[in-house]
Amino acid sequence: MGQKGEETRGRLLDATRDLIETGGYFGTGLNQVVAASGAPRGSLYFHFPGGKDQLVAESVRRAGREIGETLHALAETAPDAAGLVAGVIRLLGDRLEESGWRKGCPVATVALETAATSDPLHRACSDVYGSWEEALRLRLAADGHPEPDDTAATVLALVEGALLLARAHRSREPLDRVTRRIVALL
């Protein structure tokens, strides 16, 4: 695929990410994706012959990689796992607040709406969450934490829950509270 094709594909994925994150899977139509991306309708079917589920799954994976890259970058500079998690929560909180409380986790809405009914979307969400949990686990293990597997799962669940509560309350307070608890836990 040429550069123009990659750019068009990227625009479709970015538009999908924004739309599903703010409006959910069921609130996002393919016509909206085409309009938001500025791509020709035929490009949608060329790049994503599997339809909406393929488009959304690839968008979730792409968003997951972006957050994963942020996790890995912070893991290299944070003094410890607590600093890593506090940094991630701060960045996600900034993103949430800057979006007018519309963009929390780029995976959560899809996971909640479709993971039980769509195998491709279930796999995409599970893979992304698994990669984030693994990044946390690796840092916890490197820091000598006695239970890195269980703690990584707990921390991820706390962060996801805090993002949901922050979005619902339109307040950073849940994020601040969870950050304090995670720092104490670690």
Side-chain angles (χ1 to χ4, degrees):
M1 182 180 323
Q3 181 177 350
K4 185 177 178 184
E6 283 297 324
E7 289 172 3
T8 299
R9 189 175 204 289
R11 285 196 328 265
L12 288 163
L13 289 169
D14 290 343
T16 300
R17 174 186 177 166
D18 286 343
L19 290 166
I20 61 173
E21 194 170 355
T22 58
Y25 176 87
F26 295 112
T28 299
L30 294 178
N31 288 336
Q32 290 173 290
V33 172
V34 169
S37 69
R41 186 165 189 78
S43 294
L44 179 70
Y45 298 105
F46 173 77
H47 291 290
F48 305 99
K52 184 176 179 180
D53 278 4
Q54 180 188 5
L55 174 65
V56 172
E58 289 189 36
S59 178
V60 164
R61 288 183 192 282
R62 182 176 168 136
R65 279 191 304 275
E66 291 171 11
I67 300 288
E69 289 168 5
T70 300
L71 263 170
H72 288 290
L74 285 172
E76 292 179 12
T77 60
D80 54 22
L84 164 64
V85 175
V88 168
I89 292 173
R90 187 174 43 260
L91 289 174
L92 291 172
D94 290 347
R95 182 176 177 276
L96 179 60
E97 192 169 10
E98 289 166 6
S99 72
W101 309 103
R102 296 174 56 88
K103 293 183 177 182
C105 172
V107 179
T109 303
V110 174
L112 289 169
E113 288 184 336
T114 66
T117 58
S118 168
D119 288 339
L121 295 174
H122 161 260
R123 278 190 302 278
C125 293
S126 180
D127 290 348
V128 168
Y129 281 137
S131 72
W132 295 350
E133 191 175 321
E134 178 66 5
L136 291 169
R137 188 195 69 73
L138 289 172
R139 182 55 194 258
L140 288 162
D143 286 358
H145 198 283
E147 298 177 341
D149 294 334
D150 290 348
T151 304
T154 300
V155 167
L156 182 58
L158 287 169
V159 171
E160 285 295 313
L163 285 168
L164 177 62
L165 290 173
R167 191 172 180 185
H169 295 302
R170 294 183 183 170
S171 167
R172 289 183 82 116
E173 187 176 349
L175 297 168
D176 296 339
R177 287 179 170 178
V178 164
T179 300
R180 288 191 300 271
R181 288 290 86 215
I182 289 172
V183 168
L185 172 72
L186 299 180

